[in-house]
Amino acid sequence: MTKIRTGVRIARKLQESEHAIDHAMIAVSALIQTMIEGRLDVGVAAQTGHLALDHAVVGLNRLQQVRGNVIAGHDALKDIAEAAGIPYAMDGTQEPKFPPTGRLAVVQAAA
């Protein structure tokens, strides 16, 4: 398999992974919102289900950490592609990129 074809396969899987993580974060965020709304709708005390809510919030935080690591991996793969002479913008999978902000700046500095 050629370097370029391998690069295309990796780029597609990378973007697929990034989107899957974002969709998982959306789903967990919706779960957290529904849990809070459910408590209010039923009218039970705040401590009811609080431990379950803690676990869901920790899960969302862990997904955020996974997201940051995949982004750092993305940057590392870009460096590998450049070093190997593989054009990394060839497959049309590029999404607009803006300068990192907030936590992403930390991820960029760690890469």
Side-chain angles (χ1 to χ4, degrees), residues 7-19:
V8 168
R9 287 180 54 227
I10 292 170
R12 288 177 181 166
K13 288 299 178 183
L14 178 60
Q15 186 178 45
E16 181 182 314
S17 297
E18 290 170 344
H19 287 193

Side-chain angles (χ1 to χ4, degrees), residues 26 38 41-42 52-53 58-59 63 109:
I26 290 167
D41 289 347
V42 174
L53 183 61
V58 167
L63 284 169

Side-chain angles (χ1 to χ4, degrees), residues 4-81:
I4 290 179
R5 195 171 343 160
T6 299
V8 168
R9 287 180 54 227
I10 292 170
R12 288 177 181 166
K13 288 299 178 183
L14 178 60
Q15 186 178 45
E16 181 182 314
S17 297
E18 290 170 344
H19 287 193
I21 294 165
D22 284 349
H23 285 292
M25 290 180 73
I26 290 167
V28 173
S29 296
L31 169 64
I32 291 168
Q33 179 178 344
T34 303
M35 291 169 69
I36 295 168
E37 289 171 345
R39 184 197 73 79
L40 293 171
D41 289 347
V42 174
V44 296
Q47 60 264 47
T48 303
H50 187 75
L51 182 59
L53 183 61
D54 277 347
H55 290 302
V57 170
V58 167
L60 181 60
N61 181 265
R62 297 279 163 73
L63 284 169
Q64 176 65 6
Q65 292 172 1
V66 168
R67 188 177 191 271
N69 284 305
V70 171
I71 290 168
H74 187 149
D75 290 340
L77 285 167
K78 181 179 129 292
D79 293 343
I80 292 168

